[in-house]
Amino acid sequence: MDRISTKKSEYRTPQDVREESYRTAKYIYLVLLAIFVAVILHYMFYDLYLLRGDGSVMSNRRSVTMEYDIKLKDIFIQNGDPVELGQIAFTYDSLDFRSKYSSVLSQYTKVSQERHALENSIAQFNVELGVENELGGFLENYLKKVTHLYGEKIIDINKIVSAKINHATSQKKREELKSQLETAQEAREQFVQATDELLSTLNYFKNTFANGTYHSEVTGIVGDLNAIPGDLIKQGNPIYTAYYNKRFIEVLFEESSVTYDLNDPVLVSVPEEGWVIGRIVDVGLYSPTLPEEIQPKYRPSGRRRLVRVLIDENYLKNLEMRTLLKVYKPIGMEVACKFLNCKDHLLEDYSTYKKEEGLRPSQDHPY
């Protein structure tokens, strides 16, 4: 007699459902806990395997300032504009310049007049000295003659005494004129130097003022322009900054067990470009203070070493100056770069990247 098999029931009790949900939730909680622990461990110990830094897009820069107070009239540039060497950047007027120029001009006029008067005195001394030299020669010959006549007992002693007195008086006057002439000539040299310096200052002022027109002194990009026509700019205050030559990244690295040196590759996160490989081209000295523009708002202790990183300029040319970038140097550089799908991601090819430009130590490289 065949055994009749019982059919497995499709029905699950509420207890079975609860046990299966519990197992699923347990796995989810364990995964979340593992992620949480991994994140905590990363933030606690990332400096053992990762070097992090804050970078700013920079380039060679020149701050445009004036040597006197000015009032801006017209501005022909805006932030981000390219400027060429000699291009008109702005026009201005300056009462301060006109006052200083008038003061120097007054000094120059006064010194020139004194120099002219001294030149006349020197000419007069030369004339008088010439006359006294001729008179001295005559008196010397006369003294010789009366001395001879006195020896012949033709004249008395009074003639010789009178001749010697006249000769001595003339000689003394010649010495006085020579001394006065030397003093006047020395004074003339000082006046010549003073007039030359004042004239040079006048010419410098006129060239600097350039009829109230400022021409760009470099070919570059305009940045940090916060002035508008009508603004009063004090002497020495920057009007704008001209950024020129190639752009690079200046980085402050955190303290980490990961070391770095010249020509080491690093990862740079560039907005809208992703991960890009750069190379360290300059390692600065330790310093207690750094330029304000490259300091992070909250600078951790130890960030006192400025490092310069170079990447392909095409990734930086459209970024504004001082754009903040994140820079990293993990221990497993090749793995990290491939995992992040870096631009120029083949590290083995990077040895030739910018090689023609010559990445050299800080005392040599042109950046």
Side-chain angles (χ1 to χ4, degrees), residues 101-255:
Y101 184 83
S102 298
S103 175
V104 175
L105 180 61
S106 176
Q107 294 179 47
Y108 175 76
T109 303
K110 180 180 177 181
V111 172
S112 296
Q113 291 173 347
E114 293 176 351
R115 175 182 171 181
H116 181 68
L118 188 59
E119 293 283 1
N120 291 336
S121 296
I122 290 174
Q124 183 65 30
F125 285 146
N126 282 321
V127 171
E128 292 180 10
L129 185 58
V131 172
E132 288 298 328
N133 283 333
E134 291 183 4
L135 179 59
F138 171 79
L139 293 175
E140 187 173 354
N141 291 331
Y142 177 75
L143 179 60
K144 290 179 181 179
K145 290 180 179 179
V146 296
T147 302
H148 175 71
L149 293 175
Y150 176 76
E152 296 293 329
K153 301 188 183 299
I154 300 175
I155 61 175
D156 59 18
I157 190 65
N158 292 330
K159 293 288 187 181
I160 296 179
V161 172
S162 177
K164 285 185 176 182
I165 291 174
N166 291 335
H167 181 265
T169 302
S170 176
Q171 188 173 14
K172 182 179 179 181
K173 189 171 183 179
R174 287 201 305 273
E175 294 300 325
E176 290 176 352
L177 285 172
K178 286 180 181 179
S179 177
Q180 291 174 344
L181 180 60
E182 289 176 0
T183 302
Q185 288 173 337
E186 291 175 359
R188 178 177 60 183
E189 293 300 322
Q190 295 177 356
F191 275 109
V192 168
Q193 182 178 356
T195 52
D196 288 347
E197 289 177 356
L198 289 170
L199 181 60
S200 176
T201 302
L202 287 173
N203 290 333
Y204 175 76
F205 273 4
K206 288 193 331 190
N207 293 334
T208 304
F209 185 70
N211 295 321
T213 303
Y214 177 80
H215 299 262
S216 174
E217 298 178 9
V218 296
T219 296
I221 304 295
V222 176
D224 309 319
L225 174 64
N226 297 313
I228 60 174
D231 280 355
L232 297 175
I233 309 296
K234 290 292 185 180
Q235 173 186 353
N237 287 354
I239 301 170
Y240 73 92
T241 302
Y243 295 90
Y244 61 98
N245 289 349
K246 296 184 178 179
R247 298 191 182 190
F248 50 80
I249 306 168
E250 287 186 343
V251 184
L252 286 169
F253 280 127
E254 296 179 358
E255 293 292 333

Side-chain angles (χ1 to χ4, degrees), residues 268-335:
V268 182
S269 178
V270 180
E272 300 182 2
E273 294 290 349
W275 294 96
V276 177
I277 292 181
R279 273 201 185 275
I280 296 175
V281 296
D282 188 15
V283 178
L285 299 175
Y286 280 102
S287 173
T289 58
L290 289 166
E292 183 178 354
E293 63 267 20
I294 52 86
Q295 289 190 23
K297 186 174 182 181
Y298 303 103
R299 180 167 64 89
S301 61
R303 286 198 185 190
R304 295 181 290 115
R305 198 166 195 176
L306 192 62
V307 177
R308 186 166 296 181
V309 171
L310 187 68
I311 68 174
D312 190 325
E313 194 178 4
N314 290 324
Y315 297 125
L316 298 180
K317 65 182 181 180
N318 294 324
L319 296 181
E320 294 183 2
M321 289 297 162
R322 299 180 183 173
T323 299
L324 295 180
L325 304 176
K326 293 294 183 181
V327 181
Y328 302 91
K329 186 177 184 289
I331 289 181
M333 185 72 177
E334 293 86 352
V335 175

